[in-house]
Amino acid sequence: MKRIFAGLFLMSLVMTTNMFAQSNNRLPSLAVKEYKLKNGLRVILHEDKTTPIVAVNLWYHVGSKNEVVGRTGFAHLFEHLMFQGSKNYNDDYFKPLQEVGATINGSTNPDRTNYFQSVPSNFLELALFMEADRLGGLLEAMTQEKLDNQRDVVKNERRQRYDNQPYGTAFEKIFATLYPKDHPYNWTTIGSLEDLSAASMDDVKSFFRQYYVPNNASLVISGDFDEKLARTWVEKYFGPIPAGGEIKRPNHAIPKIDGEMRASYEDAVQLPRLYMVWMGSPAYSADEPALDIMSYILSNGRGSRLQNSLIHDKQLAQNVNSSNYALEMSGKFIVQATASRGKTLADIEKEIIAEIEKLKSTPPTADEINRAKNSIEAQTIYGMQTVLGKADRFNGYATYTGKPNYFQADIDRYQKVTAADVHRVARNYLNANRLVMEIVPRTSAVTSQAGGAVNEPTSTATEKEDVDDTDYSKNLPKPQPDPKFSLPTIGKHKLKNGMNVWIVERHHLPIVSMNLVIDAGGTLDPDDRSGLASMTASLMDTGTKSRSAEDIANVRQTLGTSLNTGSGWDGASVSMQTLAKNIDASLDLFADVVVNPTFPENELETLRRRSLVGLLQRRDNPNAIANVAYNALLYGKDHPYGRSLGGDEASIKAVTKADLEKFYSTYFRPNNSTLVVVGDTTAKTLLPKLEKAFAGWEPANVPNRTVPESVSFDQAGIYLIDKPGAAQSVVTIGHVGVARDNPDYFPLMVMNSILGGQFSARVNMNLREDKGYTYGARTGWNFRRGAGPFSASADVQTAVTKESVMEFMKELTGIRGGIPVTAAELEYSKQSLIRRYPAGFETNGQTAGQLANLVTYNLSDSYFNEYIGKVRAVSLADVNRVANRYLQPDRMAILIVGDKNVIEPRLKEIDGWGSKIKYLDADGDPIE
């Protein structure tokens, strides 16, 4: 890999400016400038100097609705092709941008295609050059080989996200049922395998020339940049690109449903699921806000009508949600519910209709309306924390309303909604004209799929073209001087009860985040009560001495506050994000959940029931099966890491309220906790409030924490879990890794970045970009206090399961010296890690998460300051040393979840491994 950019990111302490002002309970103001180039490109500029990063976000007003029958999936296929190189940089698009630490990707929906990257601010010119070059020069670099390769990647994405997932094709069926065959919403964005296979080079080029033109695009630059330079670069790189012809927008009528339509389909699922669908209103139409608020009232949160009724009261459903899916030309209102074990969809449908009829007969309460409005307002402000998030909203507003700075106007639409409006849309839209669709468990035996789609590789790729040795890096613009980045200043305090409090002040947005880190993780579960830590944390917000679960949920929504409880291997957490104006009431709720949980029996039984059903549902998902079985295989079920954090059937059934109370009273103590606060507050203001809020939380002696003992895996071989008819094989390869406190942490991180830790890493470039076997391949160390697992994994085409395993093993062996790591690869990965570092502190939540890691893993106060130096110090010898010491391919487990009848014969052909095939069930237990 050629090195592209030299230099290191400079980090020093500087002051940042406050760019927002808020008054009269309105949204923070945003300074936005908009203009157009002569070729019609809309340009939107928004400066935000908070963090030295800048986002470049480009929307093309083309999506799957611009396709025609027989040529579906083109818009999404182009999203992939746009990363394959262009006239002046005919190489992988990720390569130069990942080296500079970019966050980069694209997305497609029925109405638009989006390309985005956030980069260190001194690399803005690079991002603009790359975007402009693929807009103006993609076709000059397009080849049949690239088309064939990315067509295979998209097919793999379809298998992974649709065909190999439980209920994965449900929305495809909904779209096809509701819309006529010639309507552009009849098909989903991914398209069909048949249409993708039929796509010719001429088809693809014609689609590009029609829609990928400046006058069909909107460019947002958001973040830390100089406006004069940005305008100069936009004109330099985008200005010469000629405008395209007039874009003809589809304008099909919203189809009408005449009466009730019913459909039922079988799938490889354990539980039946119901979908009730009504035609809705287009995006930004007059009725959209009322429909959104109606959706909140029906299913958002523990206090919503459908959740209360179906999950908690009558216990008919495992889960239920509603959504107002508004697209540019039309919308759909969808209610979706999965039945609890032993419950029927008929009973669920009856109860949903009953709740809808209540809403149609009587308007919602003022409290319900206010909770929805406040939640929507708060979520909008929370979304302003990232320059990329703002950029995407600017582009969405510009594309659909013509007004990029539509934030306040958008909120105003929702603030104007009345109970009468919701009452009206319920009566007008949720009528008898609807689709009722069921997905039910398959009754017939599943047989192995046959035909070319499975038994033969799908690639139609031509022979590999000659390797292009051109050094395209010479065409790339040089970076500006390195920006400066302020590391957070941590104010450390201790309350009278012994609780540590860390405060980082950030005043650029009126948001405060809190994260209480408790040393109470899953490794503390008793042997016969696996999942106890997780269940304790999960139930903390389901009842206190003065509030019920419904009360907690309703207060949370009234305040627009997010409140989450959870547990991992190494600790538990209670986290909150709130608007600064609501800090007093939010802190009262937060402290009540932490100090006064009561673990109500009825809430425990609900969690127990849903958890047991969740274990059943896990058997539907090959990725979930692989995760559970892989851990059990490496560690054995007598080891904490060999069990599931959520527990197994026996332990979930065994946990009592007394168990929860004992675990809580033992570990949830202020002297065993650290509260991390980041946001618009000060220590002087906050500390007295914390003393008062947590005054009743008493310290106590806490048992010494023990780290799980290290184990070694010595049963190398292929382990096969049969999933008949699986659309793909889920492959996981590896062994027990190392603990977070390993002195080789930084060399291991750099080595993994080269091997499989980013898009341009070896395994992904091999299995995805070169071979087309998968939608994505990766490797990673799961660092914990004890030695967590190392894994290399991918969802691969069934037909090339054997070849995928062999390529993985080639890469795992190669990085140990067979395919030597080059100095250029090493420097590339180090620069990528260094330059992306500031982006990890962009939001309050991200910063709180970084600080939580200091607490959990007992890292030094100087860790942040030392990070870049330690990455920079990793040498080629270090990478080679840790690869050889910690990666042992001949001692690895190769776990595969897939269709045994199809994949087993060829797996037996793998030299040295084919004779070692063993069989496991979905829980990871051996099968003779």
Side-chain angles (χ1 to χ4, degrees), residues 494-499 501 516 545 587-588 590-596 664 668-671 675 686-700:
K494 188 183 290 285
L495 300 187
K496 294 176 182 178
N497 62 10
M499 183 171 76
V501 178
L516 182 68
K545 295 175 182 177
L587 178 57
D588 179 70
F590 181 79
D592 193 29
V593 166
V594 172
V595 179
N596 302 308
Y664 170 83
F668 283 72
R669 294 292 182 175
N671 52 310
L675 178 64
L686 185 62
L687 286 172
K689 296 178 180 180
L690 294 176
E691 287 284 10
K692 180 180 178 181
F694 290 99
W697 199 20
E698 297 180 353

Side-chain angles (χ1 to χ4, degrees), residues 8 12 105 134 160 309 318 334 371 374 377 386 435 468 487 509 580 628 659 705 711 732 743 764:
L8 291 166
S12 61
N105 214 327
R134 60 179 173 180
Q160 182 172 324
S309 174
Q318 174 74 354
I334 304 172
R371 294 203 309 264
N374 291 344
E377 177 194 28
T386 69
L435 167 64
D468 184 355
L487 287 166
L509 273 174
V628 171
D659 293 327
R705 166 179 28 99
V711 298
T732 310
N764 194 64

Side-chain angles (χ1 to χ4, degrees), residues 848-862:
Q850 297 274 15
L851 298 180
N853 283 333
L854 297 189
V855 175
T856 301
Y857 299 111
N858 196 30
L859 302 175
S860 70
D861 290 352
S862 60

Side-chain angles (χ1 to χ4, degrees), residues 16 20 50-51 378 381-387 488 502-516 562 575-580 583 676-681 838-853 864:
T16 57
F20 291 102
T50 308
T51 308
I381 296 176
Y382 298 153
M384 292 179 174
Q385 292 182 83
T386 69
V387 293
W502 294 6
I503 299 177
V504 174
E505 295 184 28
R506 294 171 61 124
H507 301 287
H508 63 287
L509 273 174
I511 298 170
V512 178
S513 295
M514 292 187 178
N515 186 7
L516 182 68
S562 65
S575 60
M576 178 182 76
Q577 183 169 234
T578 188
L579 299 179
I583 184 63
V676 178
V677 183
V678 182
D680 190 16
T681 188
F841 297 87
E842 188 177 8
T843 71
N844 289 353
Q846 287 174 317
T847 303
Q850 297 274 15
L851 298 180
N853 283 333
F864 294 145

